[in-house]
């Protein structure tokens, strides 16, 4: 269904994996595409494939965390297709290591590409949409789909940089949804599981026949959120893979403690909290493991 006819979409990290699958699906739904990745044949191949299938697409390569790249992406969308309606942030890298052996560069690279990369594109897209709303006097059509990960829910031990970046992306998504609602922006985040070059070592080889963890299984939700059907959805976080779309709820308050005299003493704190934290050895309590069983029939581990 051409639900996005006439719309203009940017997809970052579109040269392969999830980004390429999302770009193809958005183009198939009628969107005119501006695709970003680092310069190379992979990005050009996706552009040519979309064109061969009858869609419209141009490449705007560059480091997504660079200010100039974010500016160029929006400018390319406006100059080439007359506007911008959808932003899908997908670009990312991995530098997995335990926190006690992680280098400064490994930390900075992942935070830069994922979190700063999401911010840079969001900054220029929302500025464009804010300006458009002020010019027309009414909110316009604007969608952001950000890419988070269950790593931030689980506190992935070997991915402190990645988990931190993905948690930051969720917070950025919520702040964008709240801060830009009056300009027509709908911002949501997905936590996808998909078999790509970035996750290949974790997930292993694809099975014979249809792959339940193929990136193409994630793309329909992205199209839904980017389309007219996403009008009433904002500030939400989804887990998506295979035949699963799970809507996450906000964190809950587990317990509340009050000082008897209005000010805590060491003895009172010990008495109040010792009953809540009695496990030995302790187990991290702010970990969401409820998403893990969602794909037991197709895949036994979370990314």
């Amino acid at each position: 269904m051409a639900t996005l006819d006439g719309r203009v979409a940017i997809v970052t990290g579109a040269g392969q994996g999830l980004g390429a699958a999302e770009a193809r699906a958005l183009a198939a739904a009628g969107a005119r595409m501006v695709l970003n990745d680092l310069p190379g044949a992979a990005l050009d191949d996706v552009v040519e494939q979309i064109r061969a299938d009858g869609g419209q697409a141009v490449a705007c390569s560059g480091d997504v965390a660079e200010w100039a790249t974010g500016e160029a992406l929006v400018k390319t969308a406006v100059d080439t297709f007359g506007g911008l309606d959808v932003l899908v942030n997908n670009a990312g890298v991995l530098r997995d290591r335990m926190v006690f052996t992680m280098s400064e560069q490994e930390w900075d690279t992942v935070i830069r590409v994922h979190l700063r990369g999401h911010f840079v594109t969001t900054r220029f897209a929302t500025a464009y949409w804010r300006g458009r709303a002020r010019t027309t006097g009414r909110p316009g059509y604007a969608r952001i789909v950000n890419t988070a990960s269950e790593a931030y829910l689980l506190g992935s031990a070997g991915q402190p940089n990645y988990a931190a970046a993905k948690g930051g992306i969720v917070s950025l998504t919520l702040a964008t949804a709240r801060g830009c609602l009056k300009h027509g922006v709908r911002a949501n985040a997905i936590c996808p599981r998909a078999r790509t070059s970035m996750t290949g070592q974790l997930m292993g080889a694809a099975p014979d026949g249809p792959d339940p963890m193929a990136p193409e299984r994630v793309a329909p939700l992205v199209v839904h959120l980017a389309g007219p059907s996403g009008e009433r959805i904002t500030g939400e976080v989804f887990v998506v893979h295979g035949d699963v779309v799970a809507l996450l709820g906000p964190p809950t308050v587990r317990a509340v403690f009050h000082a008897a005299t209005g000010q805590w003493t060491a003895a009172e704190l010990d008495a109040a909290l010792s009953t809540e934290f009695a496990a030995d050895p302790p187990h991290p309590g702010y970990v969401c493991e409820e998403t893990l069983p969602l794909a037991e029939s197709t895949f036994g581990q979370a990314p």
Side-chain angles (χ1 to χ4, degrees):
M1 295 178 63
T3 57
L4 288 169
D5 266 354
R7 301 299 180 187
V8 180
I10 293 170
V11 178
T12 71
Q16 60 182 336
L18 273 172
E22 292 162 351
R24 290 191 295 266
L26 289 164
R32 294 169 290 172
M33 305 301 303
V34 177
L35 306 187
N36 165 264
D37 213 314
L38 295 175
L43 181 61
D44 295 336
D45 287 347
V46 178
V47 169
E48 290 306 316
Q49 182 181 3
I50 289 174
R51 291 175 177 173
D53 291 337
Q56 299 182 59
V58 296
C60 182
S61 61
D63 180 347
V64 75
E66 288 288 344
W67 202 251
T69 301
E71 194 170 25
L73 282 168
V74 174
K75 187 177 187 301
T76 299
V78 174
D79 290 351
T80 306
F81 298 122
L84 175 65
D85 304 291
V86 177
L87 168 64
V88 179
N89 282 311
N90 177 74
V93 296
L94 289 178
R95 298 291 187 271
D96 292 352
R97 201 173 299 278
M98 297 298 288
V99 69
F100 42 78
T101 57
M102 181 163 287
S103 70
E104 179 181 13
Q105 184 178 20
E106 288 166 338
W107 173 269
D108 288 347
T109 296
V110 170
I111 297 295
R112 182 180 183 279
V113 175
H114 286 273
L115 184 52
R116 179 181 164 90
H118 273 62
F119 160 69
V120 168
T121 55
T122 297
R123 189 272 184 205
F124 285 102
T126 54
Y128 169 78
W129 290 324
R130 177 174 178 260
R132 184 179 64 184
R134 287 186 166 186
T135 299
T136 62
R138 56 185 173 81
Y141 189 108
R143 305 282 192 269
I144 297 176
V145 182
N146 287 332
T147 306
S149 169
E150 289 168 87
Y152 98 94
L153 296 168
L154 301 167
S156 297
Q159 298 180 308
N161 48 3
Y162 184 72
K166 293 306 189 181
I169 286 168
V170 170
S171 296
L172 172 64
T173 304
L174 300 181
T176 303
R178 298 188 70 181
C180 300
L181 181 64
K182 67 180 180 180
H183 305 306
V185 178
R186 307 293 184 260
N188 297 284
I190 62 170
C191 299
R193 299 185 198 177
R195 198 184 316 274
T196 68
S197 60
M198 198 167 82
T199 62
Q201 286 188 334
L202 173 66
M203 295 190 175
D208 294 332
D211 184 0
M213 305 308 294
E216 287 73 18
R217 299 292 190 100
V218 173
L221 177 60
V222 175
V223 174
H224 183 85
L225 294 174
S229 49
E231 175 63 24
R232 296 180 180 271
I233 308 172
T234 196
E236 302 289 359
V237 181
F238 297 86
V239 174
V240 53
H241 51 80
D243 62 354
V244 172
V245 171
L247 176 62
L248 298 184
T252 59
V253 178
R254 284 168 52 190
V256 179
F257 308 92
H258 294 283
T261 61
Q263 182 171 333
W264 287 103
T265 66
E268 269 195 292
L269 275 172
D270 183 64
L273 299 184
S274 61
T275 57
E276 181 70 22
F277 306 107
D280 186 18
H283 178 76
Y286 200 77
V287 170
C288 176
E289 296 178 339
E290 285 77 6
T291 65
L292 287 175
L294 291 175
E296 285 183 343
S297 62
T298 54
F299 183 62
Q301 293 179 303

